[in-house]
Amino acid sequence: MAETLFFNALREAIDEEMARDSSVFVLGEDVGHYGGSYKVTKDLYQKYGELRVLDTPIAENSFTGIAVGAAMTGLRPIIEGMNMGFLLLAFNQISNNAGMLRYTSGGNFKIPMVIRGPGGVGRQLGAEHSQRLEAYFQAVPGLKIVACSTPYNAKGLLKAAIRDDNPVLFFEHVLLYNLKEDLPEQEYLLPLDQAEVVRQGKDVTILTYSRMRHHVLQAVKTLEKQGYDPEVIDLISLKPLDFDTIGASIRKTHKVIIVEECMRTGGIGAELTASINDRLFDELDAPVLRLSSQDIPTPYNGNLERLTIVQPEQIVEAVEKMAALRV
């Protein structure tokens, strides 16, 4: 086992896959000489050269289109978005082309590409750099959406995403890059479509993902002292949702709290709530409780920014409220 920073876990995944498969290449703004805005591609340019680590102009729509075309010919591009919010400029390429070409070509083309990079609410990055794009792409057919949350799952999921024959949106949270964790020295891959039961419990199911996994675990420390026994599930796969794991937990606890950094209106939590009510309504002893970010542009002011997203103390209050309900 070796202690590894989150961004280095991602770098190791890319490095290993580029060494294993010559069809894998990286493109994006500042991924080459500079090594990426968060150093995920550091030194890969020197190792693999400019044909496999391509510095692009500031032209997201164009270089995403290049990546789609490359994937159609059998290459495996990895796009790094300097900030995932910038990829809104490539929305058409990602949705109409990457997402749908396998279908519209009658299966003649596979689109094995990964679109990855930092997103989420950071520390005073302002509204345009605090985007949570998972809800934007949730409705697009043909895409897989993954949100990593630890160095361990970041590496295993990214390796699996690179090998997948479908376009994978791979979300990394900007505030998690300096997390540390011991990683196995031997190779491992993790499934892209499975949630992780982070903590077994019986009182209430807490569904979360990305940075909010860590807010939930902070809250759990307080809840344990108060005698509560929550079950915590990191969704990881946002499209498709892993309803085998989700359903098994709800059938045990019969109560659900969703904790997300996504906006409340039309967010991942909204889809989860609807799907739980469709599939598992008779298992619920209380309405699904949703803790989401406020539906406003993220303020630059640090105190106001903090107020827009879910904090551990709110999660504690939600569990106390849910536990107080008697059936």
Side-chain angles (χ1 to χ4, degrees), residues 169-205:
L169 283 177
F170 195 91
F171 287 102
E172 305 150 17
H173 199 286
V174 67
L175 291 183
L176 299 183
Y177 281 125
N178 287 322
L179 283 182
K180 294 180 180 178
E181 189 175 12
D182 289 336
L183 301 188
E185 294 183 6
Q186 67 273 25
E187 183 181 59
Y188 67 96
L189 283 78
L190 297 175
L192 297 177
D193 58 354
Q194 287 185 19
E196 177 189 351
V197 180
V198 180
R199 184 188 187 278
Q200 297 274 358
K202 64 179 188 302
D203 290 343
V204 60
T205 296

PDB file of all heavy atoms in Angstrom, residues 169-205:
ATOM      1  N   LEU A 169     -18.864  10.543 -18.602  1.00  0.00           N
ATOM      2  CA  LEU A 169     -18.604  11.818 -17.935  1.00  0.00           C
ATOM      3  C   LEU A 169     -18.093  11.503 -16.540  1.00  0.00           C
ATOM      4  O   LEU A 169     -18.798  10.864 -15.751  1.00  0.00           O
ATOM      5  CB  LEU A 169     -19.878  12.657 -17.856  1.00  0.00           C
ATOM      6  CG  LEU A 169     -20.316  13.373 -19.129  1.00  0.00           C
ATOM      7  CD1 LEU A 169     -21.637  14.091 -18.888  1.00  0.00           C
ATOM      8  CD2 LEU A 169     -19.268  14.361 -19.583  1.00  0.00           C
ATOM      9  N   PHE A 170     -16.909  11.964 -16.231  1.00  0.00           N
ATOM     10  CA  PHE A 170     -16.215  11.568 -15.010  1.00  0.00           C
ATOM     11  C   PHE A 170     -15.989  12.824 -14.165  1.00  0.00           C
ATOM     12  O   PHE A 170     -15.118  13.647 -14.467  1.00  0.00           O
ATOM     13  CB  PHE A 170     -14.886  10.904 -15.377  1.00  0.00           C
ATOM     14  CG  PHE A 170     -14.239  10.146 -14.256  1.00  0.00           C
ATOM     15  CD1 PHE A 170     -14.509   8.795 -14.072  1.00  0.00           C
ATOM     16  CD2 PHE A 170     -13.350  10.773 -13.396  1.00  0.00           C
ATOM     17  CE1 PHE A 170     -13.902   8.091 -13.044  1.00  0.00           C
ATOM     18  CE2 PHE A 170     -12.748  10.076 -12.368  1.00  0.00           C
ATOM     19  CZ  PHE A 170     -13.027   8.736 -12.189  1.00  0.00           C
ATOM     20  N   PHE A 171     -16.802  12.970 -13.118  1.00  0.00           N
ATOM     21  CA  PHE A 171     -16.782  14.189 -12.319  1.00  0.00           C
ATOM     22  C   PHE A 171     -15.856  14.054 -11.113  1.00  0.00           C
ATOM     23  O   PHE A 171     -15.961  13.110 -10.328  1.00  0.00           O
ATOM     24  CB  PHE A 171     -18.203  14.533 -11.846  1.00  0.00           C
ATOM     25  CG  PHE A 171     -19.078  15.053 -12.939  1.00  0.00           C
ATOM     26  CD1 PHE A 171     -20.023  14.238 -13.551  1.00  0.00           C
ATOM     27  CD2 PHE A 171     -18.945  16.357 -13.381  1.00  0.00           C
ATOM     28  CE1 PHE A 171     -20.821  14.712 -14.568  1.00  0.00           C
ATOM     29  CE2 PHE A 171     -19.740  16.848 -14.407  1.00  0.00           C
ATOM     30  CZ  PHE A 171     -20.683  16.020 -15.006  1.00  0.00           C
ATOM     31  N   GLU A 172     -14.964  15.028 -10.995  1.00  0.00           N
ATOM     32  CA  GLU A 172     -14.053  15.132  -9.856  1.00  0.00           C
ATOM     33  C   GLU A 172     -14.375  16.438  -9.133  1.00  0.00           C
ATOM     34  O   GLU A 172     -14.632  17.455  -9.782  1.00  0.00           O
ATOM     35  CB  GLU A 172     -12.600  15.151 -10.333  1.00  0.00           C
ATOM     36  CG  GLU A 172     -12.237  13.962 -11.197  1.00  0.00           C
ATOM     37  CD  GLU A 172     -11.160  14.246 -12.231  1.00  0.00           C
ATOM     38  OE1 GLU A 172     -10.462  15.269 -12.095  1.00  0.00           O
ATOM     39  OE2 GLU A 172     -11.029  13.448 -13.183  1.00  0.00           O
ATOM     40  N   HIS A 173     -14.347  16.429  -7.812  1.00  0.00           N
ATOM     41  CA  HIS A 173     -14.647  17.669  -7.082  1.00  0.00           C
ATOM     42  C   HIS A 173     -13.365  18.435  -6.822  1.00  0.00           C
ATOM     43  O   HIS A 173     -12.365  17.882  -6.365  1.00  0.00           O
ATOM     44  CB  HIS A 173     -15.364  17.375  -5.761  1.00  0.00           C
ATOM     45  CG  HIS A 173     -16.070  18.577  -5.212  1.00  0.00           C
ATOM     46  ND1 HIS A 173     -15.390  19.631  -4.630  1.00  0.00           N
ATOM     47  CD2 HIS A 173     -17.379  18.915  -5.192  1.00  0.00           C
ATOM     48  CE1 HIS A 173     -16.259  20.558  -4.271  1.00  0.00           C
ATOM     49  NE2 HIS A 173     -17.472  20.145  -4.612  1.00  0.00           N
ATOM     50  N   VAL A 174     -13.424  19.728  -7.080  1.00  0.00           N
ATOM     51  CA  VAL A 174     -12.242  20.571  -6.992  1.00  0.00           C
ATOM     52  C   VAL A 174     -11.631  20.598  -5.587  1.00  0.00           C
ATOM     53  O   VAL A 174     -10.420  20.816  -5.436  1.00  0.00           O
ATOM     54  CB  VAL A 174     -12.596  22.004  -7.472  1.00  0.00           C
ATOM     55  CG1 VAL A 174     -13.571  22.670  -6.512  1.00  0.00           C
ATOM     56  CG2 VAL A 174     -11.359  22.839  -7.664  1.00  0.00           C
ATOM     57  N   LEU A 175     -12.423  20.337  -4.552  1.00  0.00           N
ATOM     58  CA  LEU A 175     -11.910  20.387  -3.179  1.00  0.00           C
ATOM     59  C   LEU A 175     -11.404  19.037  -2.675  1.00  0.00           C
ATOM     60  O   LEU A 175     -11.004  18.933  -1.515  1.00  0.00           O
ATOM     61  CB  LEU A 175     -12.982  20.920  -2.226  1.00  0.00           C
ATOM     62  CG  LEU A 175     -13.348  22.393  -2.392  1.00  0.00           C
ATOM     63  CD1 LEU A 175     -14.376  22.817  -1.347  1.00  0.00           C
ATOM     64  CD2 LEU A 175     -12.116  23.292  -2.312  1.00  0.00           C
ATOM     65  N   LEU A 176     -11.408  18.024  -3.517  1.00  0.00           N
ATOM     66  CA  LEU A 176     -10.961  16.698  -3.078  1.00  0.00           C
ATOM     67  C   LEU A 176      -9.568  16.338  -3.569  1.00  0.00           C
ATOM     68  O   LEU A 176      -9.026  15.302  -3.186  1.00  0.00           O
ATOM     69  CB  LEU A 176     -11.953  15.619  -3.552  1.00  0.00           C
ATOM     70  CG  LEU A 176     -13.389  15.740  -3.033  1.00  0.00           C
ATOM     71  CD1 LEU A 176     -14.222  14.552  -3.527  1.00  0.00           C
ATOM     72  CD2 LEU A 176     -13.441  15.819  -1.517  1.00  0.00           C
ATOM     73  N   TYR A 177      -8.951  17.172  -4.392  1.00  0.00           N
ATOM     74  CA  TYR A 177      -7.696  16.792  -5.034  1.00  0.00           C
ATOM     75  C   TYR A 177      -6.557  16.517  -4.052  1.00  0.00           C
ATOM     76  O   TYR A 177      -5.620  15.795  -4.390  1.00  0.00           O
ATOM     77  CB  TYR A 177      -7.261  17.863  -6.035  1.00  0.00           C
ATOM     78  CG  TYR A 177      -7.992  17.781  -7.353  1.00  0.00           C
ATOM     79  CD1 TYR A 177      -8.669  18.886  -7.869  1.00  0.00           C
ATOM     80  CD2 TYR A 177      -8.014  16.612  -8.105  1.00  0.00           C
ATOM     81  CE1 TYR A 177      -9.341  18.820  -9.078  1.00  0.00           C
ATOM     82  CE2 TYR A 177      -8.681  16.530  -9.308  1.00  0.00           C
ATOM     83  CZ  TYR A 177      -9.345  17.639  -9.794  1.00  0.00           C
ATOM     84  OH  TYR A 177     -10.016  17.549 -10.996  1.00  0.00           O
ATOM     85  N   ASN A 178      -6.605  17.096  -2.869  1.00  0.00           N
ATOM     86  CA  ASN A 178      -5.519  16.880  -1.909  1.00  0.00           C
ATOM     87  C   ASN A 178      -5.847  15.844  -0.831  1.00  0.00           C
ATOM     88  O   ASN A 178      -5.109  15.719   0.147  1.00  0.00           O
ATOM     89  CB  ASN A 178      -5.117  18.207  -1.258  1.00  0.00           C
ATOM     90  CG  ASN A 178      -4.353  19.106  -2.222  1.00  0.00           C
ATOM     91  OD1 ASN A 178      -3.549  18.626  -3.025  1.00  0.00           O
ATOM     92  ND2 ASN A 178      -4.620  20.392  -2.178  1.00  0.00           N
ATOM     93  N   LEU A 179      -6.949  15.097  -1.009  1.00  0.00           N
ATOM     94  CA  LEU A 179      -7.210  13.970  -0.109  1.00  0.00           C
ATOM     95  C   LEU A 179      -6.108  12.922  -0.253  1.00  0.00           C
ATOM     96  O   LEU A 179      -5.578  12.716  -1.343  1.00  0.00           O
ATOM     97  CB  LEU A 179      -8.550  13.314  -0.441  1.00  0.00           C
ATOM     98  CG  LEU A 179      -9.841  13.991  -0.001  1.00  0.00           C
ATOM     99  CD1 LEU A 179     -11.022  13.119  -0.416  1.00  0.00           C
ATOM    100  CD2 LEU A 179      -9.858  14.235   1.492  1.00  0.00           C
ATOM    101  N   LYS A 180      -5.789  12.239   0.842  1.00  0.00           N
ATOM    102  CA  LYS A 180      -4.781  11.182   0.818  1.00  0.00           C
ATOM    103  C   LYS A 180      -5.405   9.857   1.235  1.00  0.00           C
ATOM    104  O   LYS A 180      -6.295   9.811   2.077  1.00  0.00           O
ATOM    105  CB  LYS A 180      -3.627  11.506   1.773  1.00  0.00           C
ATOM    106  CG  LYS A 180      -2.796  12.706   1.394  1.00  0.00           C
ATOM    107  CD  LYS A 180      -1.682  12.931   2.406  1.00  0.00           C
ATOM    108  CE  LYS A 180      -0.824  14.126   2.053  1.00  0.00           C
ATOM    109  NZ  LYS A 180       0.240  14.363   3.075  1.00  0.00           N
ATOM    110  N   GLU A 181      -4.914   8.777   0.648  1.00  0.00           N
ATOM    111  CA  GLU A 181      -5.401   7.440   0.993  1.00  0.00           C
ATOM    112  C   GLU A 181      -4.360   6.417   0.557  1.00  0.00           C
ATOM    113  O   GLU A 181      -3.643   6.620  -0.427  1.00  0.00           O
ATOM    114  CB  GLU A 181      -6.733   7.174   0.290  1.00  0.00           C
ATOM    115  CG  GLU A 181      -7.438   5.904   0.747  1.00  0.00           C
ATOM    116  CD  GLU A 181      -8.807   5.750   0.105  1.00  0.00           C
ATOM    117  OE1 GLU A 181      -9.128   6.486  -0.847  1.00  0.00           O
ATOM    118  OE2 GLU A 181      -9.565   4.876   0.564  1.00  0.00           O
ATOM    119  N   ASP A 182      -4.275   5.329   1.304  1.00  0.00           N
ATOM    120  CA  ASP A 182      -3.389   4.234   0.916  1.00  0.00           C
ATOM    121  C   ASP A 182      -4.026   3.443  -0.224  1.00  0.00           C
ATOM    122  O   ASP A 182      -5.164   2.976  -0.098  1.00  0.00           O
ATOM    123  CB  ASP A 182      -3.130   3.304   2.107  1.00  0.00           C
ATOM    124  CG  ASP A 182      -2.250   3.942   3.159  1.00  0.00           C
ATOM    125  OD1 ASP A 182      -1.487   4.859   2.808  1.00  0.00           O
ATOM    126  OD2 ASP A 182      -2.323   3.540   4.334  1.00  0.00           O
ATOM    127  N   LEU A 183      -3.288   3.289  -1.311  1.00  0.00           N
ATOM    128  CA  LEU A 183      -3.796   2.554  -2.469  1.00  0.00           C
ATOM    129  C   LEU A 183      -3.003   1.272  -2.663  1.00  0.00           C
ATOM    130  O   LEU A 183      -1.797   1.229  -2.397  1.00  0.00           O
ATOM    131  CB  LEU A 183      -3.681   3.408  -3.740  1.00  0.00           C
ATOM    132  CG  LEU A 183      -4.420   4.742  -3.761  1.00  0.00           C
ATOM    133  CD1 LEU A 183      -4.346   5.341  -5.164  1.00  0.00           C
ATOM    134  CD2 LEU A 183      -5.865   4.595  -3.333  1.00  0.00           C
ATOM    135  N   PRO A 184      -3.667   0.218  -3.148  1.00  0.00           N
ATOM    136  CA  PRO A 184      -2.948  -1.030  -3.425  1.00  0.00           C
ATOM    137  C   PRO A 184      -1.891  -0.819  -4.502  1.00  0.00           C
ATOM    138  O   PRO A 184      -2.083  -0.013  -5.425  1.00  0.00           O
ATOM    139  CB  PRO A 184      -4.057  -1.970  -3.929  1.00  0.00           C
ATOM    140  CG  PRO A 184      -5.340  -1.344  -3.506  1.00  0.00           C
ATOM    141  CD  PRO A 184      -5.105   0.121  -3.436  1.00  0.00           C
ATOM    142  N   GLU A 185      -0.808  -1.535  -4.394  1.00  0.00           N
ATOM    143  CA  GLU A 185       0.229  -1.439  -5.423  1.00  0.00           C
ATOM    144  C   GLU A 185      -0.136  -2.256  -6.655  1.00  0.00           C
ATOM    145  O   GLU A 185       0.309  -1.954  -7.762  1.00  0.00           O
ATOM    146  CB  GLU A 185       1.570  -1.889  -4.847  1.00  0.00           C
ATOM    147  CG  GLU A 185       2.089  -0.954  -3.750  1.00  0.00           C
ATOM    148  CD  GLU A 185       3.454  -1.363  -3.227  1.00  0.00           C
ATOM    149  OE1 GLU A 185       4.053  -2.301  -3.790  1.00  0.00           O
ATOM    150  OE2 GLU A 185       3.913  -0.733  -2.256  1.00  0.00           O
ATOM    151  N   GLN A 186      -0.955  -3.288  -6.491  1.00  0.00           N
ATOM    152  CA  GLN A 186      -1.380  -4.078  -7.636  1.00  0.00           C
ATOM    153  C   GLN A 186      -2.528  -3.374  -8.360  1.00  0.00           C
ATOM    154  O   GLN A 186      -3.249  -2.569  -7.782  1.00  0.00           O
ATOM    155  CB  GLN A 186      -1.807  -5.493  -7.210  1.00  0.00           C
ATOM    156  CG  GLN A 186      -3.059  -5.570  -6.355  1.00  0.00           C
ATOM    157  CD  GLN A 186      -2.768  -5.425  -4.871  1.00  0.00           C
ATOM    158  OE1 GLN A 186      -1.770  -4.845  -4.482  1.00  0.00           O
ATOM    159  NE2 GLN A 186      -3.662  -5.951  -4.046  1.00  0.00           N
ATOM    160  N   GLU A 187      -2.710  -3.706  -9.635  1.00  0.00           N
ATOM    161  CA  GLU A 187      -3.757  -3.070 -10.442  1.00  0.00           C
ATOM    162  C   GLU A 187      -5.145  -3.455  -9.941  1.00  0.00           C
ATOM    163  O   GLU A 187      -5.375  -4.592  -9.517  1.00  0.00           O
ATOM    164  CB  GLU A 187      -3.616  -3.481 -11.904  1.00  0.00           C
ATOM    165  CG  GLU A 187      -4.632  -2.797 -12.809  1.00  0.00           C
ATOM    166  CD  GLU A 187      -4.504  -3.222 -14.257  1.00  0.00           C
ATOM    167  OE1 GLU A 187      -4.639  -4.419 -14.551  1.00  0.00           O
ATOM    168  OE2 GLU A 187      -4.259  -2.337 -15.095  1.00  0.00           O
ATOM    169  N   TYR A 188      -6.065  -2.501 -10.010  1.00  0.00           N
ATOM    170  CA  TYR A 188      -7.467  -2.790  -9.693  1.00  0.00           C
ATOM    171  C   TYR A 188      -8.361  -1.874 -10.519  1.00  0.00           C
ATOM    172  O   TYR A 188      -7.978  -0.759 -10.886  1.00  0.00           O
ATOM    173  CB  TYR A 188      -7.759  -2.616  -8.198  1.00  0.00           C
ATOM    174  CG  TYR A 188      -7.651  -1.187  -7.701  1.00  0.00           C
ATOM    175  CD1 TYR A 188      -8.787  -0.377  -7.605  1.00  0.00           C
ATOM    176  CD2 TYR A 188      -6.427  -0.642  -7.320  1.00  0.00           C
ATOM    177  CE1 TYR A 188      -8.688   0.932  -7.151  1.00  0.00           C
ATOM    178  CE2 TYR A 188      -6.322   0.660  -6.870  1.00  0.00           C
ATOM    179  CZ  TYR A 188      -7.464   1.443  -6.785  1.00  0.00           C
ATOM    180  OH  TYR A 188      -7.375   2.747  -6.339  1.00  0.00           O
ATOM    181  N   LEU A 189      -9.534  -2.373 -10.836  1.00  0.00           N
ATOM    182  CA  LEU A 189     -10.575  -1.594 -11.501  1.00  0.00           C
ATOM    183  C   LEU A 189     -11.847  -1.690 -10.673  1.00  0.00           C
ATOM    184  O   LEU A 189     -12.069  -2.685  -9.961  1.00  0.00           O
ATOM    185  CB  LEU A 189     -10.856  -2.108 -12.915  1.00  0.00           C
ATOM    186  CG  LEU A 189      -9.862  -1.738 -14.023  1.00  0.00           C
ATOM    187  CD1 LEU A 189      -8.611  -2.605 -13.938  1.00  0.00           C
ATOM    188  CD2 LEU A 189     -10.508  -1.883 -15.398  1.00  0.00           C
ATOM    189  N   LEU A 190     -12.688  -0.688 -10.753  1.00  0.00           N
ATOM    190  CA  LEU A 190     -13.962  -0.680 -10.032  1.00  0.00           C
ATOM    191  C   LEU A 190     -15.107  -0.550 -11.032  1.00  0.00           C
ATOM    192  O   LEU A 190     -14.973   0.130 -12.053  1.00  0.00           O
ATOM    193  CB  LEU A 190     -14.005   0.482  -9.029  1.00  0.00           C
ATOM    194  CG  LEU A 190     -12.976   0.442  -7.899  1.00  0.00           C
ATOM    195  CD1 LEU A 190     -13.059   1.715  -7.057  1.00  0.00           C
ATOM    196  CD2 LEU A 190     -13.180  -0.784  -7.011  1.00  0.00           C
ATOM    197  N   PRO A 191     -16.251  -1.180 -10.757  1.00  0.00           N
ATOM    198  CA  PRO A 191     -17.383  -1.102 -11.697  1.00  0.00           C
ATOM    199  C   PRO A 191     -17.963   0.300 -11.754  1.00  0.00           C
ATOM    200  O   PRO A 191     -18.082   0.982 -10.726  1.00  0.00           O
ATOM    201  CB  PRO A 191     -18.392  -2.102 -11.112  1.00  0.00           C
ATOM    202  CG  PRO A 191     -18.007  -2.262  -9.676  1.00  0.00           C
ATOM    203  CD  PRO A 191     -16.531  -2.061  -9.610  1.00  0.00           C
ATOM    204  N   LEU A 192     -18.324   0.727 -12.953  1.00  0.00           N
ATOM    205  CA  LEU A 192     -18.849   2.081 -13.149  1.00  0.00           C
ATOM    206  C   LEU A 192     -20.308   2.219 -12.746  1.00  0.00           C
ATOM    207  O   LEU A 192     -20.812   3.339 -12.627  1.00  0.00           O
ATOM    208  CB  LEU A 192     -18.705   2.474 -14.628  1.00  0.00           C
ATOM    209  CG  LEU A 192     -17.287   2.556 -15.183  1.00  0.00           C
ATOM    210  CD1 LEU A 192     -17.340   2.891 -16.670  1.00  0.00           C
ATOM    211  CD2 LEU A 192     -16.453   3.576 -14.436  1.00  0.00           C
ATOM    212  N   ASP A 193     -21.001   1.107 -12.563  1.00  0.00           N
ATOM    213  CA  ASP A 193     -22.451   1.175 -12.351  1.00  0.00           C
ATOM    214  C   ASP A 193     -22.885   0.725 -10.960  1.00  0.00           C
ATOM    215  O   ASP A 193     -24.050   0.413 -10.752  1.00  0.00           O
ATOM    216  CB  ASP A 193     -23.166   0.317 -13.401  1.00  0.00           C
ATOM    217  CG  ASP A 193     -22.724  -1.142 -13.379  1.00  0.00           C
ATOM    218  OD1 ASP A 193     -21.776  -1.472 -12.634  1.00  0.00           O
ATOM    219  OD2 ASP A 193     -23.325  -1.951 -14.111  1.00  0.00           O
ATOM    220  N   GLN A 194     -21.963   0.716 -10.013  1.00  0.00           N
ATOM    221  CA  GLN A 194     -22.311   0.245  -8.663  1.00  0.00           C
ATOM    222  C   GLN A 194     -22.073   1.314  -7.609  1.00  0.00           C
ATOM    223  O   GLN A 194     -21.039   1.989  -7.613  1.00  0.00           O
ATOM    224  CB  GLN A 194     -21.494  -0.994  -8.306  1.00  0.00           C
ATOM    225  CG  GLN A 194     -21.925  -2.248  -9.039  1.00  0.00           C
ATOM    226  CD  GLN A 194     -21.165  -3.476  -8.579  1.00  0.00           C
ATOM    227  OE1 GLN A 194     -20.579  -3.489  -7.501  1.00  0.00           O
ATOM    228  NE2 GLN A 194     -21.170  -4.513  -9.400  1.00  0.00           N
ATOM    229  N   ALA A 195     -23.043   1.432  -6.706  1.00  0.00           N
ATOM    230  CA  ALA A 195     -22.885   2.296  -5.543  1.00  0.00           C
ATOM    231  C   ALA A 195     -22.036   1.579  -4.497  1.00  0.00           C
ATOM    232  O   ALA A 195     -21.841   0.366  -4.558  1.00  0.00           O
ATOM    233  CB  ALA A 195     -24.252   2.652  -4.965  1.00  0.00           C
ATOM    234  N   GLU A 196     -21.545   2.346  -3.534  1.00  0.00           N
ATOM    235  CA  GLU A 196     -20.741   1.785  -2.445  1.00  0.00           C
ATOM    236  C   GLU A 196     -21.451   2.001  -1.112  1.00  0.00           C
ATOM    237  O   GLU A 196     -21.814   3.136  -0.777  1.00  0.00           O
ATOM    238  CB  GLU A 196     -19.369   2.447  -2.389  1.00  0.00           C
ATOM    239  CG  GLU A 196     -18.507   1.954  -1.218  1.00  0.00           C
ATOM    240  CD  GLU A 196     -17.239   2.768  -1.024  1.00  0.00           C
ATOM    241  OE1 GLU A 196     -16.921   3.611  -1.876  1.00  0.00           O
ATOM    242  OE2 GLU A 196     -16.567   2.561   0.013  1.00  0.00           O
ATOM    243  N   VAL A 197     -21.657   0.926  -0.361  1.00  0.00           N
ATOM    244  CA  VAL A 197     -22.184   1.060   0.996  1.00  0.00           C
ATOM    245  C   VAL A 197     -21.009   1.449   1.891  1.00  0.00           C
ATOM    246  O   VAL A 197     -20.173   0.619   2.238  1.00  0.00           O
ATOM    247  CB  VAL A 197     -22.851  -0.238   1.478  1.00  0.00           C
ATOM    248  CG1 VAL A 197     -23.387  -0.046   2.903  1.00  0.00           C
ATOM    249  CG2 VAL A 197     -23.979  -0.648   0.536  1.00  0.00           C
ATOM    250  N   VAL A 198     -20.952   2.712   2.252  1.00  0.00           N
ATOM    251  CA  VAL A 198     -19.827   3.246   3.018  1.00  0.00           C
ATOM    252  C   VAL A 198     -19.944   2.865   4.484  1.00  0.00           C
ATOM    253  O   VAL A 198     -18.956   2.596   5.157  1.00  0.00           O
ATOM    254  CB  VAL A 198     -19.763   4.783   2.870  1.00  0.00           C
ATOM    255  CG1 VAL A 198     -18.604   5.367   3.670  1.00  0.00           C
ATOM    256  CG2 VAL A 198     -19.635   5.162   1.398  1.00  0.00           C
ATOM    257  N   ARG A 199     -21.170   2.837   4.984  1.00  0.00           N
ATOM    258  CA  ARG A 199     -21.424   2.472   6.386  1.00  0.00           C
ATOM    259  C   ARG A 199     -22.727   1.716   6.483  1.00  0.00           C
ATOM    260  O   ARG A 199     -23.754   2.169   5.988  1.00  0.00           O
ATOM    261  CB  ARG A 199     -21.497   3.722   7.270  1.00  0.00           C
ATOM    262  CG  ARG A 199     -21.669   3.416   8.758  1.00  0.00           C
ATOM    263  CD  ARG A 199     -21.931   4.682   9.568  1.00  0.00           C
ATOM    264  NE  ARG A 199     -21.926   4.419  11.001  1.00  0.00           N
ATOM    265  CZ  ARG A 199     -22.962   3.933  11.689  1.00  0.00           C
ATOM    266  NH1 ARG A 199     -24.101   3.625  11.061  1.00  0.00           N
ATOM    267  NH2 ARG A 199     -22.867   3.713  12.994  1.00  0.00           N
ATOM    268  N   GLN A 200     -22.692   0.557   7.089  1.00  0.00           N
ATOM    269  CA  GLN A 200     -23.909  -0.211   7.348  1.00  0.00           C
ATOM    270  C   GLN A 200     -24.668   0.401   8.532  1.00  0.00           C
ATOM    271  O   GLN A 200     -24.062   0.854   9.507  1.00  0.00           O
ATOM    272  CB  GLN A 200     -23.565  -1.664   7.681  1.00  0.00           C
ATOM    273  CG  GLN A 200     -22.876  -2.432   6.571  1.00  0.00           C
ATOM    274  CD  GLN A 200     -23.853  -3.053   5.594  1.00  0.00           C
ATOM    275  OE1 GLN A 200     -25.070  -2.950   5.758  1.00  0.00           O
ATOM    276  NE2 GLN A 200     -23.326  -3.705   4.569  1.00  0.00           N
ATOM    277  N   GLY A 201     -25.990   0.433   8.429  1.00  0.00           N
ATOM    278  CA  GLY A 201     -26.804   0.961   9.523  1.00  0.00           C
ATOM    279  C   GLY A 201     -28.236   0.519   9.369  1.00  0.00           C
ATOM    280  O   GLY A 201     -28.605  -0.129   8.386  1.00  0.00           O
ATOM    281  N   LYS A 202     -29.077   0.881  10.339  1.00  0.00           N
ATOM    282  CA  LYS A 202     -30.464   0.399  10.303  1.00  0.00           C
ATOM    283  C   LYS A 202     -31.510   1.493  10.463  1.00  0.00           C
ATOM    284  O   LYS A 202     -32.701   1.253  10.222  1.00  0.00           O
ATOM    285  CB  LYS A 202     -30.669  -0.645  11.402  1.00  0.00           C
ATOM    286  CG  LYS A 202     -30.518  -0.130  12.827  1.00  0.00           C
ATOM    287  CD  LYS A 202     -30.758  -1.241  13.849  1.00  0.00           C
ATOM    288  CE  LYS A 202     -30.812  -0.728  15.276  1.00  0.00           C
ATOM    289  NZ  LYS A 202     -29.590  -0.015  15.694  1.00  0.00           N
ATOM    290  N   ASP A 203     -31.100   2.710  10.857  1.00  0.00           N
ATOM    291  CA  ASP A 203     -32.097   3.738  11.186  1.00  0.00           C
ATOM    292  C   ASP A 203     -32.607   4.490   9.956  1.00  0.00           C
ATOM    293  O   ASP A 203     -33.801   4.765   9.841  1.00  0.00           O
ATOM    294  CB  ASP A 203     -31.508   4.758  12.168  1.00  0.00           C
ATOM    295  CG  ASP A 203     -31.285   4.170  13.553  1.00  0.00           C
ATOM    296  OD1 ASP A 203     -31.880   3.106  13.833  1.00  0.00           O
ATOM    297  OD2 ASP A 203     -30.538   4.773  14.337  1.00  0.00           O
ATOM    298  N   VAL A 204     -31.724   4.870   9.078  1.00  0.00           N
ATOM    299  CA  VAL A 204     -32.078   5.677   7.918  1.00  0.00           C
ATOM    300  C   VAL A 204     -31.013   5.485   6.844  1.00  0.00           C
ATOM    301  O   VAL A 204     -29.840   5.273   7.153  1.00  0.00           O
ATOM    302  CB  VAL A 204     -32.191   7.175   8.297  1.00  0.00           C
ATOM    303  CG1 VAL A 204     -30.870   7.703   8.848  1.00  0.00           C
ATOM    304  CG2 VAL A 204     -32.652   8.024   7.119  1.00  0.00           C
ATOM    305  N   THR A 205     -31.434   5.509   5.578  1.00  0.00           N
ATOM    306  CA  THR A 205     -30.506   5.434   4.454  1.00  0.00           C
ATOM    307  C   THR A 205     -30.150   6.854   4.013  1.00  0.00           C
ATOM    308  O   THR A 205     -31.042   7.645   3.702  1.00  0.00           O
ATOM    309  CB  THR A 205     -31.138   4.686   3.271  1.00  0.00           C
ATOM    310  OG1 THR A 205     -31.387   3.336   3.649  1.00  0.00           O
ATOM    311  CG2 THR A 205     -30.223   4.713   2.053  1.00  0.00           C
TER     312      THR A 205
END
